[in-house]
Structures are given as structure tokens and as C-alpha cells.
Amino acid sequence: MNKEYKRERFLRREKFFRKDQMKKGIYILPNLFTTASLFAGIYAIIASIQGNFIHASIAIPISLILDGLDGRIARMTHTTSRFGVEYDSLSDLVAFGVAPAILAYSWSLAAFGKWGWLAAAMYVTCGALRLARFNVQVGVIDSRYFNGLAIPAAAIVVSSTVLLYDYLGYEGTFPHLSILLGMMALSLLMVSSIKFYSFKDLHFLTREPFMTVVLAVILLIIVLAEPQVMVFAIAAGYAISGPIWGILKLIKRMFSTGKKQPTTGGGEIKTETKTGATS
């Protein structure tokens, strides 16, 4: 009896500690870029606490660039893994959720007391919900569109606002109500069902018309000439593009419905007139 019990216990232990894919190791190169992105986010948090708002605002876009590279490198080198996906999501929550929230709180929201930290907490919570929803919707919704504002885009809106403030010649904090309302708006956009264009159907390695290259060069020159203004304009424009697109689609649908009803009615009148003439 005792031997049978020990045998069952041993089998349960073997099942519990069954070897998984992690025993084979993880891919180093893409995860190094993810780690670098995480480090940039942590630096942004520390810089915000120390009052170095400009350094924090620059660290967040750097984190975004590194975050974009890790996925592309993983796909190019065929080193994608479930571990990398989960690690990337955790890194995104720190770099694009916690870091912008602490930056906004230290730079502006602290002046609003409990409403300030609640707005920062709302941003982080909605960002976490946005990432969780994105992970479970991969392969379910059209990859050309994001369901809600992507958390990196929301983070760039926050950091570019601070950079624009410095570009305009101001220094220190900016305790203004617009920042509080803006953080709440970004939070709601992240968890909304509003569609945003993902740019995933653009192929930069394929042949394009010559004028496309010229326009890309002109846009690059403009961005390099006034980076603070252009980054803010692009980020804010993208954040409001979803609601504007949704409103335009709703108006188009309303007009389409309105046009169909008179047409149907006119067809009925014609039929009745023709029947009357025949009689």
C-alpha cells in the first residue's frame, strides 16, 4: 500500500514538472530589443520622478522604436515565440502605460490631488485592458485596423505634448485642466471599439511609384526640421483619426439609408400609375 502511494505521488510529480518549451531556451536577439525597450521605459519613469521631463519624453519614443524592431527582427529571423509575445506585452505596459502615466502625473496631474492620480491610474488600467484585449483578438479581427487606440500611440501623445511645451519656451510643470481631460480621453479611446488604421498592410520592400518616394522624403525633411511640432501633430492627428473616421462612416450610413427609402417609394408610385393606366 505504501509503495503504491509513493508510485502515484511520483507520477503526479512527474506530470507537474513535465518538460515544456522553456527548457529548450529562448531566442536572445529579439528579446534583447524587448529588454532595451523596457529599460528605456524604466529610465523614463526615473527621469519623471526626478523632474527631468524632457529626458523622460525622449526615452518613450526610443522605447517605441526598440519595441517595433523586436517584432520585425523576430519575424525576419523566424524566432517568434509565445514567450516573446508575452514578454513584449509586459514591456509595453511598463514603457507605454506606467511611464507616460508617471510622466503626466509628475508634470501636470499632481496639482489636481486625488483626481490627478486617479487619472494616471485610469490610463494605466485602460492600457493594461487594451493589451489584454489585443492579445486575445489576434487573428480574430482584421489586422489592418486596431480595435481601440494602441497604447504606444497614446504614450507618444503624452510624451510629444511635453516636448511641444518645452519647444514653445516654457519650463517646469504645466498644471492645466486640459492635461487631465486629455489623459482621460486617451484612456477611453484605448478601451473603445473605435477602429484605427494599423498601417500593417503597407509594404516598404515592394516597388512603389516614384512620387511616393519623393513625398516620403519631403515628409522626412519636415519632421527633421521641426521634430517636436511634427511628432505632436502626427500623434494627436492619429489619436483623433479614429473618432473622425467613425463619425464619417456613421454620416455616410445615415445618408445611404435616407437615399434608399425615397427610391423604394418612387418605385411603388410608378407601379400604381402604370396599373391605373392599363385599367
Side-chain angles (χ1 to χ4, degrees), residues 268-279:
E268 291 176 355
I269 293 172
K270 283 184 178 181
T271 305
E272 291 174 2
T273 306
K274 186 175 180 181
T275 306
T278 307
S279 301

Side-chain angles (χ1 to χ4, degrees), residues 86-259:
E86 298 299 332
Y87 185 35
D88 183 71
S89 294
L90 294 172
S91 174
D92 287 352
L93 181 59
V94 174
F96 309 128
V98 179
I102 294 180
L103 173 60
Y105 181 80
S106 303
W107 180 62
S108 175
L109 301 179
F112 297 98
K114 64 178 181 181
W115 288 104
W117 74 260
L118 284 173
M122 179 180 177
Y123 178 89
V124 177
T125 304
C126 291
L129 292 171
R130 170 69 178 79
L131 287 169
R133 184 177 66 176
F134 175 79
N135 289 340
V136 300
Q137 288 183 340
V138 172
V140 177
I141 62 173
D142 192 346
S143 62
R144 294 177 300 171
Y145 307 103
F146 289 130
N147 195 19
L149 181 64
I151 187 172
I156 295 301
V157 173
V158 177
S159 63
S160 62
T161 302
V162 179
L163 291 174
L164 180 65
Y165 180 77
D166 177 75
Y167 173 79
L168 296 175
Y170 299 102
E171 296 180 356
T173 59
F174 183 60
H176 198 273
L177 183 62
S178 61
I179 305 300
L180 178 68
L181 298 177
M183 289 295 288
M184 291 182 175
L186 289 174
S187 303
L188 294 176
L189 284 174
M190 283 192 288
V191 295
S192 69
S193 296
I194 298 174
K195 298 296 185 291
F196 289 82
Y197 186 50
S198 66
F199 299 99
K200 289 185 178 181
D201 57 345
L202 295 181
H203 303 287
F204 296 100
L205 300 179
T206 58
R207 291 180 179 270
E208 297 292 341
F210 179 76
M211 287 306 299
T212 304
V213 180
V214 175
L215 292 175
V217 172
I218 293 174
L219 179 61
L220 180 62
I221 292 173
I222 295 174
V223 171
L224 293 176
E226 299 292 345
Q228 297 94 329
V229 178
M230 289 305 300
V231 171
F232 173 79
I234 293 172
Y238 181 76
I240 64 175
S241 66
I244 292 175
W245 187 21
I247 292 172
L248 291 176
K249 287 175 66 177
L250 180 62
I251 294 174
K252 184 179 180 181
R253 192 178 305 140
M254 290 173 61
F255 274 99
S256 299
T257 306
K259 287 179 180 179

Side-chain angles (χ1 to χ4, degrees), residues 58-75:
I58 295 174
I60 292 174
I62 292 175
S63 180
L64 175 62
I65 295 172
L66 294 170
D67 179 67
L69 287 175
D70 66 353
R72 290 189 177 276
I73 289 174
R75 287 188 293 272

